[in-house]
Amino acid sequence: MTHRAVLAIALPIVISNISTPLLGLADTAVMGRMGDPKYIGAVALGALIFTMVYWTFGFLRMGTTGLTAQAAGAEDGEEIRAALGRALLIAGAIGVGLIALQWPIRAIAFGLLDGGEEVEALAHVYYDIRIWSAPFALANYALTGWFIGLERAGLALVLQVVLNTVNIALDVLFALGLGWGVQGIAAGTLIAEVTAALAGLAIASRVLRLHPGVWTRARLLDAARLARTIAVNRDIMIRTIVLLLSFAWFTAKSAEAGTVTLAVNSILLQFVTVSAFFLDGFALSAETLVGKATGALDRMSFDLAAKLSTLWAGGISLLLTLAIFVFGGAAIDFLTIDAEVRAGGRIYLFWAAMLPVLSVWCYQLDGIFIGATRSSEMRNAALASSAMFLVLWWLFLPYGNHGLWAALAGFNLTRALSLGFYFPRLRRGLA
């Protein structure tokens, strides 16, 4: 276990994360040339629905990483195959389920979002086309998690590059070249997600040659292993939904505070999101290396994986905090020309700057627990942290937006403390 092993996983993930916003930027740029802001709004609204729905099933990436890393640590080639097979079966089943339930999902989603009549009509068109890519989009989550679990993060990056490149090229061809507008953006994304999934399967078939073993129906559908996979994924899904609801509460309370406060918090949250792009790479290093050590029942490697990945993450978090303090004001001015929002951004910049160094610990512990597939503890920690978030929000109401940001910081610290409570027991389990 070396620093190089940590960086070999973290750096491709960081690059992949940074490239992801290019898709939204490309969609916005293409729609921006259509001459009416309703096109931008329609694509943004439609994409938001899929982001929320798909991220609910983010366990297909996280759970697959931990299970695959453990199989690799145990040098069990058949289980490495089965981990991918089970994840793809679950992805396919959920994807087909989403297609079958597309009309009630659409009704609920658009009932919760208000984009105006023209925007929503176009967003419906986007939704009705892109929903057919659901099994492939979720398969990409499973494939990405599997590659990372095998310490092949570079292949996960290749998959993201294929997705982004095909999507951007087809955006331009369909929406501008052929004049298909919103339909073109949706069709381009659908084809890109299908292409990436097929490319991922082709790459996976070659990677499997490096791991001795055969496909067996008995192993793939083994009741105990399948039940464990479902339990791990169920708990991660509950944890993800709880976290999403907490951030939705933050956004809702920002909106209640007024248009300026909402704009300020939205801009500052962009700094937090970009910081997470960097820190997520080291959390994924922890997932993979801890998972491998867990599979091998190697406490020394477990300790080293946790230590090295956290050292890097902690150091990067300090640099990110410093960067936001130094460059945050200029970044706010770049993102808005409104004088009131600029002034408000500077007032609350402290919180956005401090969040990387306050949040890195919960990110890392998430990675460690995912690698060890101790998802029930993650579920419990998320529930406890969200409850604490609501308590802190209520206690800090007199402090306005400062209180809201303090509650968010307390939320992430509570996530770290609650997972830290379980950590000694996790480590003892490797004896």
Side-chain angles (χ1 to χ4, degrees):
M1 193 77 64
T2 64
H3 290 286
R4 178 175 292 182
V6 173
L7 294 176
I9 298 168
L11 293 182
I13 297 302
V14 170
I15 296 170
S16 175
N17 286 345
I18 293 173
S19 72
T20 300
L22 292 176
L23 286 177
L25 182 63
D27 288 349
T28 301
V30 171
M31 288 293 92
R33 299 183 69 83
M34 298 295 293
D36 193 317
K38 68 184 180 184
Y39 296 107
I40 297 176
V43 171
L45 191 63
L48 175 62
I49 292 171
F50 286 101
T51 297
M52 297 299 289
V53 170
Y54 289 164
W55 188 239
T56 299
F57 304 108
F59 60 78
L60 286 166
R61 202 281 302 155
M62 292 179 274
T64 304
T65 295
L67 293 167
T68 302
Q70 289 183 24
E75 299 181 356
D76 187 343
E78 289 189 3
E79 186 58 24
I80 287 173
R81 284 167 166 71
L84 175 61
R86 292 187 203 107
L88 290 174
L89 285 174
I90 294 171
I94 294 172
V96 171
L98 291 175
I99 291 174
L101 296 172
Q102 61 181 286
W103 293 286
I105 292 172
R106 183 179 69 176
I108 294 170
F110 285 100
L112 295 173
L113 299 170
D114 182 14
E117 186 175 342
E118 285 187 313
V119 169
E120 286 194 16
L122 289 169
H124 282 169
V125 172
Y126 178 95
Y127 174 92
D128 290 343
I129 294 172
R130 190 177 169 188
I131 188 65
W132 293 94
S133 72
F136 301 94
L138 296 178
N140 286 327
Y141 279 23
L143 286 161
T144 297
W146 190 73
F147 289 137
I148 294 171
L150 291 176
E151 298 183 69
R152 304 295 293 269
L155 295 179
L157 174 59
V158 168
L159 209 60
Q160 189 66 44
V161 169
V162 169
L163 176 64
N164 290 356
T165 302
V166 173
N167 198 3
I168 291 172
L170 293 182
D171 275 358
V172 175
L173 173 62
F174 291 163
L176 293 182
L178 300 179
W180 292 357
V182 171
Q183 294 96 321
I185 295 291
T189 302
L190 184 154
I191 295 172
E193 288 174 330
V194 173
T195 301
L198 295 178
L201 290 172
I203 295 170
S205 68
R206 296 180 66 86
V207 172
L208 282 171
R209 298 175 189 174
L210 305 175
H211 299 278
V214 294
W215 290 98
T216 63
R217 185 172 180 272
R219 174 63 75 95
L220 182 64
L221 300 179
D222 178 83
R225 295 176 187 272
L226 192 58
R228 182 185 179 219
T229 299
I230 292 172
V232 167
N233 290 336
R234 177 202 63 212
D235 290 335
I236 294 176
M237 183 175 72
I238 293 171
R239 168 256 186 196
T240 301
I241 291 172
V242 169
L243 297 186
L244 286 173
L245 290 174
S246 297
F247 280 97
W249 183 272
F250 179 90
T251 301
K253 295 307 167 185
S254 298
E256 287 181 12
T259 303
V260 172
T261 298
L262 177 61
V264 166
N265 287 357
S266 297
I267 289 173
L268 295 180
L269 279 176
Q270 294 302 311
F271 300 165
V272 177
T273 300
V274 171
S275 298
F277 287 159
F278 287 89
L279 298 176
D280 190 46
F282 298 98
L284 282 168
S285 290
E287 285 182 35
T288 303
L289 299 175
V290 163
K292 187 175 181 181
T294 301
L297 296 177
D298 185 345
R299 183 189 284 183
M300 184 178 296
S301 293
F302 174 94
D303 289 343
L304 198 55
K307 177 182 177 181
L308 293 182
S309 60
T310 303
L311 279 174
W312 276 99
I316 295 298
S317 73
L318 288 171
L319 292 176
L320 289 167
T321 288
L322 179 62
I324 295 173
F325 271 124
V326 174
F327 302 109
I332 292 169
D333 291 346
F334 175 77
L335 292 170
T336 180
I337 60 172
D338 186 278
E340 197 172 358
V341 174
R342 284 179 170 181
R346 283 169 168 77
I347 292 172
Y348 302 106
L349 181 62
F350 167 83
W351 293 107
M354 289 303 299
L355 270 176
V357 78
L358 293 176
S359 304
V360 64
W361 317 112
C362 70
Y363 296 163
Q364 280 301 111
L365 283 164
D366 271 352
I368 290 168
F369 276 78
I370 289 171
T373 59
R374 299 290 287 268
S375 56
S376 60
E377 287 91 341
M378 295 177 64
R379 176 202 63 207
N380 295 342
L383 290 168
S385 301
S386 294
M388 178 59 72
F389 174 57
L390 294 176
V391 170
L392 292 174
W393 164 76
W394 182 77
L395 289 174
F396 295 155
L397 273 175
Y399 302 98
N401 200 40
H402 280 297
L404 184 60
W405 278 100
L408 183 63
F411 168 65
N412 282 342
L413 286 173
T414 305
R415 286 172 61 193
L417 290 172
S418 52
L419 286 173
F421 172 79
Y422 291 117
F423 184 78
R425 187 169 68 185
L426 167 63
R427 186 173 176 274
R428 285 195 302 270
L430 293 176

